[in-house]
Amino acid sequence: MGEGEQTRLVAWSHELRRVHERLREALTVTREALADGVPAEPATRDLLLFCHGFCAALTAHHEGEDRELFPAIAEQYPQLRDTLRYLQQDHSMIAHLLGGLQAAVARAAPPEELNRHLEGVAAIMESHFRYEERQLLTVVETLTLPTDPRTALGPL
């Protein structure tokens, strides 16, 4: 560590669960915006804003994990490298699904199509979060990572 830096004790398992819960809430808000009636122009703009916010937050979360959290886990727990690779593959799949959702919102796709995209993202996201928590919560309890949780887990 450089001069003036401090190692912050962070309850990484708490932070990870907290971010996952906020992302679940953001998805719920996005789904509610769709249920409120997308065909009207203001609702379409609202959904676009909700989708953009949710997609950006989920992407930032996964990028932070890939960049900060997972390398630290791999260094301290090399036996988890296969698990981390699997989780990174999930991140890629979710990014692909988010791209499809964003494209559908941008072209004002019918509500049924938008709902299919959201349902697909929701299913994979939830499965991913549950697997990640089962595999990593105990490990991250003991993790030493000299970074801010927002850098490692995203802005939520």
Side-chain angles (χ1 to χ4, degrees):
M1 271 186 260
E3 191 175 312
E5 282 186 57
Q6 289 184 345
T7 300
R8 289 183 37 184
L9 291 177
V10 174
W12 287 101
S13 61
H14 170 76
E15 293 295 329
L16 184 62
R17 280 192 301 261
R18 187 179 63 79
V19 168
H20 284 176
E21 195 52 42
R22 288 195 175 169
L23 286 164
R24 287 176 177 114
E25 290 167 7
L27 179 61
T28 298
V29 168
T30 303
R31 292 176 97 172
E32 288 170 357
L34 176 60
D36 284 344
V38 170
E41 184 61 31
T44 302
R45 283 196 306 269
D46 288 348
L47 181 60
L48 187 58
L49 287 173
F50 286 125
C51 177
H52 177 72
F54 166 71
C55 292
L58 185 55
T59 298
H61 170 62
H62 289 159
E63 288 173 349
E65 285 182 332
D66 290 346
R67 185 182 57 250
E68 300 281 339
L69 187 64
F70 290 177
I73 292 171
E75 182 179 316
Q76 295 176 41
Y77 299 92
Q79 70 275 20
L80 290 174
R81 287 194 173 129
D82 287 342
T83 298
L84 297 171
R85 247 188 311 280
Y86 176 77
L87 290 167
Q88 287 173 314
Q89 289 172 347
D90 273 3
H91 291 174
S92 294
M93 182 180 7
I94 292 169
H96 176 74
L97 293 172
L98 291 176
L101 171 62
Q102 289 173 310
V105 170
R107 65 178 164 73
E112 307 80 43
E113 181 182 342
L114 294 171
N115 202 31
R116 280 193 307 273
H117 281 285
L118 281 170
E119 295 220 358
V121 169
I124 299 300
M125 185 184 88
E126 188 58 37
S127 171
H128 171 77
F129 285 174
R130 287 179 185 211
Y131 179 75
E132 186 174 75
E133 290 172 3
R134 275 194 318 272
Q135 297 299 314
L136 300 183
L137 280 180
T138 302
V139 168
V140 296
E141 281 290 336
T142 63
L143 189 66
T144 303
L145 184 61
T147 191
D148 185 277
R150 289 173 296 189
T151 302
L153 299 175
L156 291 180

